[in-house]
Amino acid sequence: MDLLTLALIGLVGGLVTGVSPCILPVLPVVLVAGATGSSGAAGPPGSPSGRRTRPRVAGGASSSGSGTSGAGLPGFGVLPVPDFLRGTAAGTAAGDGGTRAAGAGGGAVTATIDGPPSGDEPTVTRARRSARPYLVVAGLVTSFTLVTLLGSVVLSVLGLPQDLLRWTGIVVLAVIGLGLLVPRLEAIIERPFARLAPRNAPRSSRGGFVLGLGLGAVYVPCAGPVLAAITVAGASGNVGPGTVVLTVAFALGAAAPLLAVALAGRRASERVKAFRSHLRAVRAVGGALMIALALALSFNLTDAIQRALPGYTDRLQEQIAADPRVQRELDLGGLVTAENEGLSRCTDGAEELEECGPAPAIRGIDTWLNTPDGAPVDLTDQRGKVVLLDFWAYSCINCQRSVPHVVAWDEAYRDAGLVVVGVHTPEYAFERETRNVVDGARRFGIEYPVAQDNAYATWTAYRNRYWPAAYLVDADGQVRHVSQGEGNYEATETMIRELLVAADPDVVLPPRTQVDDATPQEDVTPETFLSVSKRSNVAGEYVQGEHTYALPTGQDPDTVALGGTWTTDFQGANAGADATLRLRYHAAVVQTVLGGTGEVGFVVRGADGRVVDRGRLDVAGSPRSYPVVDGDEVAEGTVELDAPEGVTVYSFTFG
C-alpha cells in the first residue's frame, strides 16, 4: 500500500466532496464564522463584549480607550483608530513603537503604532489577524477524522447511542449560535475553551476550534469511493496507517474549500465597511444561521435542500471510482470468496441480464424491520421468486433519489412474485440507530423488509462499495444484474419484468411504473420543483400560499416562471384563475409531473421563438409524469403551459 498514493487519492476525493452540493448547507455558517469573532466589538463599554481597561503608559501616565474615536497617545494627541481595529481587550501605548491590541470583537488585527521623531501623525498597520478561520477548519478536520474512524467503535464499547456524537454536534452549534446572540452567555461558554487558542491570540479565535468540532460531527459529505472505503474501515475497526492517511487527506481536501469561504468572510469583515459598522448585526446573523442549521439538521431538512441541487460533482466521483489505481489502492473490488467470485462476471449497469453466480447469503444482520416479529429473510426460502437487494443509507442523498424507484417496484410487482429486501448499511455512526432507520424508512414510504447491516457483513459478502446499489436475483437464486449508483432505472425494471415472466410464464404484469428519474444530468436543465420545500430554478416571484403572479419580461435559461393565480404548498403549485407557466429548458426530453383533474394545454417554442409544437394533456388519477417534449437531440426551447383550476404541477424533469 503506497501511503503517498493514498494521500493523493484522499485529497482529490476530499476536494471533489468539498465543492459538492452536500457541503452547501454549512457554507453560510462557515462564511459568517470567518467574519465574526467570538466576542463582539460592537458592545458598549462596560459590557462583556465591549469592556475597556485603562492601560499604563510610559512615565506613569495612563490613557483610556475611547469607545468611539480612538485612544489617547502621549505625544500625539488622539489617534483615530477604525472600529474594526478596536476590541475589548486593553491595548498598551508606550510612545514610539508601542502596540495596541485589537481585542476580541474585531479581534482580527493587532494595530502597531509607529511614532516618528518629528511628531508627525503615526501610522497604523495590521500585524496580526484572527486565526479563527483556520481553527474552525482544524476543528472540523479533527472531529470528522475521529468520528469517522473511531466514533462507532468507541460508542459501541461504552454502550452509548450511535447518534450521540451527531446530536452533540447539533447542540454545540445551537449553543454557539446563542452565544453570538447573547454576549454574556458567550463569555461563559468561552471560559472552558480558552486554552485551545494560543495565549496571545485574540479572543475572537478561541471559539473557532469548538465550532469546527461541532461542524465536523454533523456535516454529511456525499457518498463516493473514497468515503466508502473510509467508512467501511472505521465501522469494521480495520484502521491502520493507510486508513488514517486516507482519512486525514480526505478531510483536508474537503475542508480546503471551507477554509477559502471562511477566509473570504474574514476579509470581508476587514475590508467591507458594512461589516465594520454593523458587527453586532453580523454576529446576530451568524448566531441565527447556526441555530437554523442545528434545527434543520434535527429535522432532516437539509436532505431536501441537497436533493433539490444538481449533482454537478457526480461525474467526477464516477471517474475517480473507475480509475484502476484507485480501485486497487482502496480495494474497491471487495473480499473475493468462493461464494461471491461470480459477481466479477456482472457488468455494472448492463442493459441485459447476465450470469453472475449464486447470490451470497444475507448475514450478520442486527435488526430486521418490516418483517413478522422481526424474523430474518433467508434467500433460500425465496426460490421461485425474483429478489431485489437494495443497499442504501437513509441520509445518503443519492439513495434518497433512488429509493422512490425501489418503493414503486415493490408496490407494483409484489403480487407478481417480486421480493424486495433493503439492506441498510450505515454510512455514518448515527445511521446505526434503529430508531433513525425506522424514521427514514417511514419518510420514504418503505414497507418491504429492511435489514440493518451495521457490521457490514452482507455488504462485504456482496463485495459492495456503493450507496445505492441494486442486485437482482432470479428464481433459481442466481445474481443476474448489478446496478451501482443512481440511474439505469428503466433497464432494471425491464429485467425485473423479464425475470418475473421467466419464473411464471402465466404471470399478469402491471403497467410499468412512472417515477421521475432524478439522477442529475450535467448537460441538460436540472430537475425543477415547484413545492415550497423543494422549490428550485424558479424565476420571478414565488410566494407560499395563494398569490397572483405576472410573468417576468426577461427570464433566465433553465428556469420556470408563474403567471396568473397559483397556490403553492409543500407538494407543488395548485392552479387557480388564469394560471399559466413558462419554462425555459435545455434538453431533448421534457416531462412534467401533474396531479388532479383537468385538461392542460401547452405550446413549445424553439430557440428563435417560433412555435414547433402544441398539444393538450388530459390529467386524471394519481400524480404521474406526462411527456411535453420528446426530441432526439438536446436543444434550447420554451414551454408555455396553461393549467385549469384543480390541477397541481409538481415538477419538471429533463433528458
Side-chain angles (χ1 to χ4, degrees):
M1 183 178 293
D2 187 343
L3 294 182
L4 178 59
T5 300
L6 281 175
L8 291 174
I9 291 173
L11 189 64
V12 172
L15 284 171
V16 172
T17 298
V19 296
S20 71
C22 294
I23 214 74
L24 294 182
V26 305
L27 288 187
V29 169
V30 174
L31 176 68
V32 179
T36 59
S38 63
S39 295
S47 71
S49 60
R51 186 171 56 250
R52 302 289 182 180
T53 59
R54 187 179 299 275
R56 186 169 299 279
V57 297
S62 64
S63 174
S64 61
S66 168
T68 58
S69 61
L73 299 177
F76 301 113
V78 176
L79 170 65
V81 180
D83 286 345
F84 76 97
L85 289 178
R86 284 196 233 102
T88 62
T92 60
D96 296 349
T99 62
R100 182 174 181 81
V109 184
T110 292
T112 301
I113 299 111
D114 298 316
S118 62
D120 294 337
E121 185 76 9
T123 59
V124 180
T125 59
R126 284 174 291 172
R128 179 162 53 89
R129 308 170 78 183
S130 171
R132 185 177 178 82
Y134 298 98
L135 289 172
V136 170
V137 172
L140 189 150
V141 170
T142 301
S143 176
F144 175 79
T145 301
L146 294 178
V147 168
T148 304
L149 290 183
L150 302 176
S152 295
V153 175
V154 172
L155 292 174
S156 297
V157 170
L158 297 178
L160 298 173
Q162 289 289 330
D163 57 355
L164 175 64
L165 296 176
R166 178 175 183 268
W167 282 107
T168 300
I170 291 174
V171 170
V172 168
L173 288 179
V175 170
I176 293 178
L178 288 173
L180 286 173
L181 294 173
V182 184
R184 292 186 182 277
L185 173 62
E186 181 185 37
I188 297 174
I189 297 170
E190 274 187 345
R191 289 170 188 165
F193 307 106
R195 296 182 181 179
L196 294 177
R199 180 172 298 179
N200 63 340
R203 285 181 59 202
S204 62
S205 299
R206 295 178 184 174
F209 189 76
V210 181
L211 173 59
L213 290 176
L215 286 174
V218 299
Y219 96 110
V220 180
C222 291
V226 180
L227 184 59
I230 294 171
T231 302
V232 173
S236 61
N238 186 24
V239 178
T243 309
V244 173
V245 169
L246 182 68
T247 306
V248 173
F250 179 88
L252 289 172
L258 296 179
L259 176 60
V261 171
L263 290 174
R266 185 181 73 176
R267 185 174 181 84
S269 70
E270 297 172 356
R271 298 296 181 89
V272 179
K273 184 178 180 180
F275 275 91
R276 300 198 300 269
S277 59
H278 298 87
L279 283 177
R280 175 159 295 183
V282 172
R283 288 166 49 77
V285 170
L289 284 174
M290 291 180 194
I291 294 172
L293 178 60
L295 290 173
L297 291 167
S298 300
F299 293 99
N300 299 303
L301 299 181
T302 53
D303 295 350
I305 297 174
Q306 294 164 334
R307 284 198 303 271
L309 296 168
Y312 46 80
T313 59
D314 288 4
R315 189 161 296 178
L316 289 175
Q317 293 281 23
E318 293 171 2
Q319 292 175 350
I320 294 173
D323 186 275
R325 189 166 187 176
V326 173
Q327 293 181 345
R328 182 175 64 254
E329 292 293 335
L330 300 184
D331 188 27
L332 293 182
L335 180 65
V336 179
T337 65
E339 183 186 30
N340 63 26
E341 61 182 357
L343 292 174
S344 300
R345 298 195 295 270
C346 264
T347 304
D348 178 29
E351 297 292 329
E352 297 179 350
L353 292 168
E354 298 176 316
E355 298 287 345
C356 311
I362 300 174
R363 53 168 61 87
I365 302 304
D366 293 0
T367 305
W368 281 93
L369 309 176
N370 297 339
T371 62
D373 299 322
V377 174
D378 190 336
L379 291 184
T380 58
D381 296 336
Q382 310 306 317
R383 294 292 187 266
K385 297 183 179 180
V386 177
V387 178
L388 175 67
L389 289 179
D390 180 55
F391 287 87
W392 68 297
Y394 76 81
S395 73
C396 165
I397 301 304
N398 312 82
C399 300
Q400 292 175 25
R401 292 193 286 253
S402 69
V403 164
H405 295 270
V406 181
V407 170
W409 295 335
D410 172 60
E411 294 175 351
Y413 300 109
R414 185 187 307 160
D415 294 338
L418 177 67
V419 176
V420 177
V421 178
V423 182
H424 188 277
T425 309
E427 192 175 358
Y428 302 98
F430 57 82
E431 291 178 318
R432 293 168 168 265
E433 286 295 324
T434 299
R435 64 178 182 274
N436 293 341
V437 181
V438 170
D439 180 65
R442 177 190 57 78
R443 286 188 284 116
F444 290 126
I446 294 175
E447 297 180 353
Y448 48 79
V450 174
Q452 271 194 267
D453 186 29
N454 284 354
Y456 289 75
T458 301
W459 171 283
T460 302
Y462 277 81
R463 299 163 58 190
N464 190 49
R465 286 296 183 272
Y466 296 92
W467 291 276
Y471 294 77
L472 195 54
V473 182
D474 67 15
D476 297 323
Q478 301 292 305
V479 177
R480 303 297 302 278
H481 177 66
V482 176
S483 183
Q484 297 174 324
E486 296 181 70
N488 198 44
Y489 303 119
E490 287 191 14
T492 300
E493 183 169 8
T494 296
M495 285 178 265
I496 290 174
R497 295 170 70 90
E498 290 178 7
L499 291 178
L500 289 173
V501 172
D504 180 6
D506 297 325
V507 68
V508 177
L509 296 179
R512 295 178 66 95
T513 59
Q514 297 290 329
V515 178
D516 293 332
D517 186 349
T519 304
Q521 302 293 328
E522 298 294 332
D523 55 351
V524 298
T525 301
E527 186 170 13
T528 299
F529 296 91
L530 291 175
S531 66
V532 172
S533 60
K534 298 175 65 176
R535 171 173 60 100
S536 60
N537 309 323
V538 177
E541 288 185 293
Y542 184 92
V543 179
Q544 182 175 350
E546 184 175 348
H547 186 71
T548 300
Y549 300 85
L551 289 171
T553 54
Q555 185 175 334
D556 292 335
D558 301 323
T559 62
V560 63
L562 301 176
T565 301
W566 293 85
T567 301
T568 59
D569 55 27
F570 284 85
Q571 299 297 318
N574 306 288
D578 302 321
T580 62
L581 181 150
R582 186 170 63 205
L583 169 74
R584 291 194 61 189
Y585 68 89
H586 177 74
V589 175
V590 179
Q591 295 182 324
T592 179
V593 178
L594 304 173
T597 303
E599 191 175 67
V600 176
F602 66 88
V603 175
V604 181
R605 299 181 184 273
D608 57 3
R610 291 184 298 178
V611 175
V612 296
D613 191 18
R614 65 174 69 241
R616 308 199 73 81
L617 304 172
D618 292 323
V619 181
S622 301
R624 64 181 182 88
S625 179
Y626 293 82
V628 179
V629 178
D630 188 11
D632 297 325
E633 297 181 355
V634 173
E636 293 186 1
T638 301
V639 171
E640 298 167 354
L641 184 150
D642 295 321
E645 293 188 54
V647 168
T648 300
V649 183
Y650 295 92
S651 65
F652 290 90
T653 58
F654 307 89

